Amino acid sequence: MSDEPTGPMLPQDRGPVSAAMIGALRDGGPPAVGEAAATADPYGDDLQLALYVAYELHYRGFAGVDPAREWDPELLRVRAVLERRFLDALRADATAHESATAALDDLLVEPVGGDGVPHVLERSGTRSQLREYAAQRSLYHLKEADPHAWVLPRLWGRAKAGMAAVEFDEFGGGRAERVHAQLFADLMADLGLDTTYGRYVEAAGAEMLAVVNLMSLFGLHRALRGALVGHFAAVEVTSSPASRRLAGAMRRAGAGPAAEFFYDEHVEADAVHEQVVRHEVVDGLLAVEPHLERDVAFGIDATGFLDDRFGERLLSAWQAGESSLRRAIELDLVRVP
Ligand SMILES: [Fe+2]
Ligand SMILES: [Fe+2]
C-alpha cells in the first residue's frame, strides 16, 4: 500500500456528502455518508463534487491518497448511490429524442438570437471572461478524450476503428506537443492561467463539475456505452462551429497564438471528426447493436442539457456584471501576466 506522492490536492468539501468522501480519502477509512447521499440535490455542488472526487481516482488521483482506493468497495458503494441520483435526474430532465440522428440535428440549431456563450465571447468577451471560461473548462479539456478511451474495448468493427481514429487525433497523432489536452494547457498559459492539472476545481461550480462527471459516468460503465458514444458525437458535432467563434474571441482579445491555435485546430479537426463519428462510430455501433439507439440519443441530449446549464451560469453572472466563478476563490484565479 502506497500513497500517491504527487497529484492534485483534495478539494474543500461543499456539504455532507462531499465531506464524507473527501474525509474518507484523507483518513483512509470508509465514507460516513449516512442518509445524505440519498437526498442530495442531483445537480448541486455537494453531490457533484463528491462524484468528481470519486471519479478522479480513475484519472490521476490525489496527492497523499493510496491509488488502490480506486477499487475500494465502500467508496464504490457510495459512488453508485450518487450515480443513480444523477442518472435518474438526467433521464427525467434530458430525454428529448428517441433517434440519434434527430438528437444530433437538433444540437446544430443555433440558439435563438445567437446568444450562446461562444456567440457572446466572440462579440464582446473580455479577457477576464475568457479567463473565467478557460479556467472552468480546463476541468474538461485537461482530460479531453480520456474517458472516451474507456469505451474502446466495448466496441467492435467500424465503431471501434472510427473511435480509435478520432482518439488518435485527440491524443496528438503520436506527438506529445499536439495532444489536445496539452494544446489547451498552452491556451491557458497564453491567458495567464496556471496550467497545473486540477488547479481550478475550487473555481468551478456544480454546473461545470456535472459536465465532466457526465463523461466519466458514461465512460466507466459498459452498460452506458451507447450514451458515451452519444456524448462523443455531441461534442464533435458541435465543436467546429463553436470553435470558430471562440477562435475569433481569442483573436479579438489578443489572447495569444496558442489560445487561437487550440480553437483553430478544432475548427479543422472536428469538421472531419464529425463525419467519422456520425458515419463510422454511431452508425457502426447501431448496425451491430440497434437496441442502443435510445441510449445514444440520451447521451446526446444529456450532453446538450448540461452544456446549456453551464452556459446559463456564465451568461447570467456576466449579465449581472459578476464573476461566474465560485466566490471563495475568485481573487485567487490568475497570476496576472
Ligand atoms: Fe479535441
Ligand atoms: Fe475532436
Side-chain angles (χ1 to χ4, degrees), residues 52-91:
Y52 181 89
V53 167
Y55 286 145
E56 202 53 38
L57 299 175
H58 299 281
Y59 294 96
R60 302 208 197 173
F62 294 98
V65 173
D66 180 358
R69 306 283 318 264
E70 179 182 5
W71 300 109
D72 181 325
E74 292 299 319
L75 294 173
L76 292 174
R77 189 183 57 74
V78 173
R79 195 189 85 186
V81 174
L82 306 179
E83 286 178 321
R84 177 52 55 197
R85 285 192 65 71
F86 187 33
L87 202 49
D88 285 351
L90 288 170
R91 287 205 192 274

Side-chain angles (χ1 to χ4, degrees), residues 182-202:
Q182 179 60 52
L183 297 180
F184 195 81
D186 297 342
L187 169 150
M188 295 173 73
D190 263 1
L191 287 169
L193 294 167
D194 185 338
T195 63
T196 308
Y197 182 89
R199 170 67 179 77
Y200 294 111
V201 172
E202 303 283 14

Side-chain angles (χ1 to χ4, degrees), residues 144 166 170 180 232 236 239 266 269-270 273:
E144 185 169 322
V166 176
E170 300 290 341
H180 285 190
F232 202 50
E236 297 296 344
S239 169
H266 280 81
D270 288 341
H273 292 172

Side-chain angles (χ1 to χ4, degrees), residues 19-337:
M21 197 62 106
I22 291 163
L25 292 176
R26 184 179 294 121
D27 305 337
V33 173
E35 290 303 298
T39 54
D41 174 359
Y43 303 119
D45 271 300
D46 189 27
L47 184 144
Q48 290 297 330
L49 183 65
L51 207 45
Y52 181 89
V53 167
Y55 286 145
E56 202 53 38
L57 299 175
H58 299 281
Y59 294 96
R60 302 208 197 173
F62 294 98
V65 173
D66 180 358
R69 306 283 318 264
E70 179 182 5
W71 300 109
D72 181 325
E74 292 299 319
L75 294 173
L76 292 174
R77 189 183 57 74
V78 173
R79 195 189 85 186
V81 174
L82 306 179
E83 286 178 321
R84 177 52 55 197
R85 285 192 65 71
F86 187 33
L87 202 49
D88 285 351
L90 288 170
R91 287 205 192 274
D93 296 338
T95 301
H97 300 88
E98 299 200 347
S99 132
T101 305
L104 285 177
D105 289 347
D106 272 6
L107 265 190
L108 285 173
V109 177
E110 297 226 294
V112 179
D115 52 4
V117 170
H119 296 77
V120 169
L121 289 176
E122 180 186 36
R123 202 163 52 229
S124 60
T126 63
R127 191 175 165 84
S128 100
Q129 287 170 341
L130 293 175
R131 279 174 164 159
E132 286 185 21
Y133 179 75
Q136 291 170 90
R137 290 287 309 174
S138 72
L139 274 64
Y140 173 97
H141 289 293
L142 294 182
K143 51 170 70 84
E144 185 169 322
D146 285 347
H148 302 94
W150 286 323
V151 86
L152 284 169
R154 299 153 188 181
L155 301 178
W156 193 246
R158 284 164 56 204
K160 188 198 267 298
M163 194 77 194
V166 176
E167 288 282 85
F168 182 69
D169 280 357
E170 300 290 341
F171 294 136
R175 295 170 59 188
E177 72 279 10
R178 296 297 290 255
V179 175
H180 285 190
Q182 179 60 52
L183 297 180
F184 195 81
D186 297 342
L187 169 150
M188 295 173 73
D190 263 1
L191 287 169
L193 294 167
D194 185 338
T195 63
T196 308
Y197 182 89
R199 170 67 179 77
Y200 294 111
V201 172
E202 303 283 14
E207 295 85 351
M208 187 64 226
L209 295 176
V211 165
V212 178
N213 287 337
L214 183 73
M215 65 178 183
S216 303
L217 167 68
F218 290 166
L220 284 166
H221 291 268
R222 190 179 74 86
L224 295 170
R225 64 195 178 284
L228 190 276
V229 163
H231 179 275
F232 202 50
V235 169
E236 297 296 344
V237 164
T238 53
S239 169
S240 190
S243 294
R244 188 181 308 280
R245 296 185 185 284
L246 292 166
M250 294 296 168
R251 248 186 292 287
R252 198 179 46 71
E260 291 178 27
F261 183 73
F262 177 82
Y263 290 113
D264 283 338
E265 174 74 6
H266 280 81
V267 173
E268 298 292 321
D270 288 341
V272 177
H273 292 172
E274 173 183 354
Q275 298 306 315
V276 177
V277 169
R278 274 180 185 269
H279 302 302
E280 301 302 318
V281 183
V282 172
D283 292 354
L285 174 68
L286 295 179
V288 292
E289 297 201 88
H291 60 283
L292 294 180
E293 174 101 38
R294 290 180 70 155
D295 278 357
V296 175
F298 167 63
I300 298 163
D301 287 338
T303 304
F305 174 76
L306 291 180
D307 282 350
D308 286 351
R309 291 183 87 252
F310 174 61
E312 282 157 20
R313 178 188 177 116
L314 297 186
L315 295 177
S316 63
W318 292 342
Q319 276 155 14
E322 294 168 1
S323 166
S324 61
L325 303 174
R326 288 182 68 238
R327 281 276 164 244
I329 56 84
E330 205 168 306
L331 296 177
D332 194 28
L333 174 62
V334 292
R335 50 181 176 80
V336 176

